[in-house]
Amino acid sequence: MATVGVIFSNIHDENIPELSRHRTMASVPFGGRYRLIDFTLSNMVNAGITTVGVVTKYNYQSLLDHLGSGKDWDLARKDGGIILLPPYSDETDAPYSNRLEALKGITGFLNHRNEDYVVISDCDGIAHIDLAEVIAYHEEKGADITMVYHEEEGPVESGYFMTLSPDENGRLTGLKINPRLKAKSRNNVYINIMVLNREFLINIIQDAVTRGLSSFGRDILSKNVDTLKIYGYNFKGYYAGVDSLQKYYQHSMELLRKDVRDELFGARDIYTKVRDSAPSKYADDACVKNSLISDGCEIEGTVENCILFRGVKIGKGSVVRNSIIMQDSVIGSGVQLDCVITDKNVVIRDRRRLAGCEELPYFIAKGRML
């Protein structure tokens, strides 16, 4: 079951423009020390995938800094490893505008590989998925395409999504794009992970180019659900889709629950870039409750129900609740924060009071001083 991985790093940047204005969706920070790509990349590595192509587009400097040589994922290899794929094809200098164009641009990469299967994944989901099991399911069914889905309740907020209708054997009998969903209905929502036979993928891309098709979802998947052997794999574990700033906040706060942490980080490791930071320091009168505190923090105030990234400083007398404070941000003295998200390197001066709510957290952009 030799498999090559392909990760799209920019496809969903428009979902959270607040955090992806200066970075790719793949490199959005999450959980105190991770980036969103860490979950996708770790799932592939844990499944024995040793060659992963990362499709870039723009704003990918922070992604390059994070991935480096790939050694933190055991992907610093002479043959394979992490391979950065440019957003251009051999025929044009313009970046791709959709998934099908991006796949067309990486056909050279796919042609030079000899693996049997390809796992294609986006970076908008947080989950611990056994991809080896998905690949085995794909092989067992003799499928052309296997699409991973998760059962969700109610409307989906994302601007583009698919719902799947599998029969009792798992083969899809229907695939809908952006359907209207009832409030309390249960739906099989595709979570942007699929397995394909490598040669089959190359063939359908070439066929799409020849016929002038423009949409992978509408022109290839939806219109051929009756003729292609497309199967659905039901992922029943914890899944967090990030399709808005509110969802980013909600799923970040879910990490404060032990059952969520155990499911995401318990069975197999989620790898990330290792930084040799000093331990965090707590003043004698500091108070920290139900929070995730990363290395290198200095806390002199009160922190409750928060996620603090590396190098955060909380000043004396400050009270920070229900907030996400990203790397190297400085909170002055006497500050009160509630439901706030700060990007990296934010400075909040003494005695400021800022508050949002769970549905609309107060966001402070990277490098701002308030």
Side-chain angles (χ1 to χ4, degrees), residues 70-85:
K71 66 180 180 63
D72 295 302
W73 296 266
D74 192 27
L75 290 176
R77 298 166 180 262
K78 292 182 179 179
D79 180 25
I82 292 179
I83 300 172
L84 295 172
L85 302 172

Side-chain angles (χ1 to χ4, degrees), residues 36-55:
L36 291 185
I37 195 174
D38 291 336
F39 296 89
T40 303
L41 197 53
S42 296
N43 287 332
M44 290 187 177
V45 170
N46 289 332
I49 298 173
T50 58
T51 300
V52 180
V54 179
V55 184

